[in-house]
Amino acid sequence: MSGVLVIAESRQGSLRDVSLELIGAAREVKEQAGGRLAVAVIGAGAGEHADALGADGVDEVLVVETPNEHFEPHVHAAAVEALIDEEEPTLVLAGHTIDSLGFAPALAARRGLGFASDVTRLAWDGGPVAVRGGYGGKVDVELDFPGKETVLLLLRAGAFPAVEGSGAARSRNVEVQAEPRSEHLGFREADTGDVDITKAEFLLSIGRGIEDKDALEQFEELADKMGATLSVSRPLVDAGWVPNARQVGQSGKTVKPKVYLALGISGAVQHLAGMQTAETIIAVNTDPEAPIFTVAHYGVVADLFDVADELAEQF
Ligand SMILES: Cc1cc2nc3c(=O)[nH]c(=O)nc-3n(C[C@H](O)[C@H](O)[C@H](O)COP(=O)(O)OP(=O)(O)OC[C@H]3O[C@@H](n4cnc5c(N)ncnc54)[C@H](O)[C@@H]3O)c2cc1C
């Protein structure tokens, strides 16, 4: 057993971003896992995504064309099982998505694989080490998988940096026998409540640095003025000041806006897990040693209220 097998994901004919994030995560541990990095794409028209998946570091793209146009758990399960038999990987990575949840836990149980879902960090220590939340997100749990030859991990979308650009990996078709069992009636996006911070292009994110609930209104108004969506760090949700739909981080939402402006957020690892792949991160903090500055593209060591007043004037 060696190497990494990534299960890419497409929906409605488009490759999902998480696929390139899985390859990014796989590349980080490929050497320790030994062997090769293979990326599988499963579905009708899967071959169309082969070029996009052949990024640097990928050794081969495995294309499994299926007769069903839409996702079917048992077809995916049969395909992934066949690929595991063929590749004998140490590590299998798929997205923590509604599709993977439909087949991966059952497959892992049936095959006796090591398994963890909603993984936000991945390391290697003689085998894969996965970090995920535990006890309703109150603690970080570090998991290893002693005695397991193959481990299947579902990685949270947005928590790992995506690979960019295409490489020259070859692709190969793999035949899998599995007939569709269901009729697909339609596709509807889930209702995300009053606000969906995961879709926002510009997030104004505030943390415990604002100190007082009464200050909230000022930042709601500022977000409005700037055309931003307001998001927060967890202490503001724990204090009951803001609903948890606006929380960024490991036990909140993973966001990937064009601009993430963080005011008075220290940058704890659980917060970074939810926003470090934003395109441009701007951080304002009075503490020059605050960890948020390690991921920020632009940093301002200043009082957030001074910056907020200045922004309100400028806009
Ligand atoms: C399992 C687990 C899951 C978690 N999940 C999440 C999660 O999803 N999201 C999340 O955010 N946290 C999460 N946390 C909590 C996380 O560990 C931190 O406690 C939290 O992110 C801290 O929030 P903060 O940065 O707003 O507050 P603090 O860490 O208290 O930081 C406040 C910052 O504001 C700065 N500041 C103070 N006053 C000013 C001022 N006037 N102007 C400028 N800067 C100022 C300070 O220098 C400081 O850096 C989780 C924790 C655990 C254990």
Side-chain angles (χ1 to χ4, degrees):
M1 298 276 173
S2 67
V4 186
L5 171 65
V6 163
I7 311 299
E9 196 169 301
S10 65
R11 183 178 292 165
Q12 307 280 86
S14 303
L15 195 62
R16 302 196 74 205
D17 291 348
V18 69
S19 306
L20 302 179
E21 295 162 12
L22 294 169
I23 297 173
R27 275 202 325 207
E28 293 297 310
V29 295
K30 175 186 167 181
E31 264 183 35
Q32 293 104 310
R36 63 189 211 134
L37 167 52
V39 177
V41 55
I42 303 163
E48 286 167 24
H49 307 304
D51 285 349
L53 292 169
D56 268 353
V58 174
D59 294 295
E60 193 174 31
V61 178
L62 306 170
V63 176
V64 184
E65 293 279 351
T66 61
N68 50 308
E69 197 183 330
H70 297 280
F71 171 78
E72 276 210 49
H74 80 279
V75 174
H76 256 64
V80 173
E81 200 160 3
L83 291 167
I84 290 174
D85 286 340
E86 187 184 297
E87 290 291 312
E88 301 189 330
T90 303
L91 181 62
V92 183
L93 298 178
H96 180 76
T97 60
I98 198 73
D99 286 3
S100 296
L101 286 167
F103 76 91
L107 172 62
R110 191 166 67 245
R111 296 286 300 240
L113 310 180
F115 178 79
S117 58
D118 203 15
V119 172
T120 52
R121 275 174 282 151
L122 176 63
W124 200 271
D125 183 10
V129 178
V131 176
R132 55 157 298 154
Y135 300 105
K138 289 195 171 49
V139 294
D140 276 343
V141 180
E142 213 177 74
L143 296 160
D144 65 356
F145 308 88
K148 293 294 180 190
E149 290 192 327
T150 299
V151 175
L152 169 54
L153 300 178
L154 304 186
L155 307 192
R156 184 190 286 198
F160 294 85
V163 286
E164 282 174 17
S166 55
R170 62 183 184 277
S171 68
R172 176 166 60 91
N173 286 329
V174 178
E175 296 281 324
V176 173
Q177 295 303 323
E179 290 306 314
R181 286 182 195 152
S182 56
E183 184 191 354
H184 186 86
L185 297 179
F187 184 85
R188 208 171 61 197
E189 290 285 356
D191 185 3
T192 47
D194 74 319
V195 66
D196 184 1
I197 60 171
T198 66
K199 298 265 163 61
E201 296 208 329
F202 179 11
L203 283 174
L204 169 62
S205 207
I206 50 174
R208 188 146 46 193
I210 71 158
E211 286 187 359
D212 198 331
K213 187 180 181 194
D214 293 342
L216 260 183
E217 200 180 325
Q218 171 184 353
F219 294 97
E220 283 162 354
E221 283 171 15
L222 181 61
D224 256 5
K225 262 192 185 173
M226 296 172 77
T229 302
L230 192 74
S231 59
V232 300
S233 65
R234 177 159 151 174
L236 277 65
V237 173
D238 286 349
W241 298 355
V242 180
N244 63 5
R246 293 200 187 245
Q247 181 188 322
V248 173
Q250 183 179 310
S251 51
K253 300 267 170 57
T254 302
V255 297
K256 213 174 184 176
K258 289 207 165 99
V259 178
Y260 189 83
L261 171 56
L263 302 183
I265 294 178
S266 60
V269 67
Q270 297 88 359
H271 188 82
L272 301 187
M275 46 62 75
Q276 63 194 352
T277 55
E279 266 177 48
T280 302
I281 299 170
I282 308 165
V284 179
N285 200 303
T286 43
D287 176 6
E289 303 296 323
I292 190 90
F293 289 129
T294 63
V295 298
H297 302 96
Y298 302 95
V300 187
V301 179
D303 189 301
L304 70 90
F305 291 98
D306 293 342
V307 174
D309 288 345
E310 187 63 35
L311 285 171
E313 235 172 77
Q314 296 290 331
F315 279 83

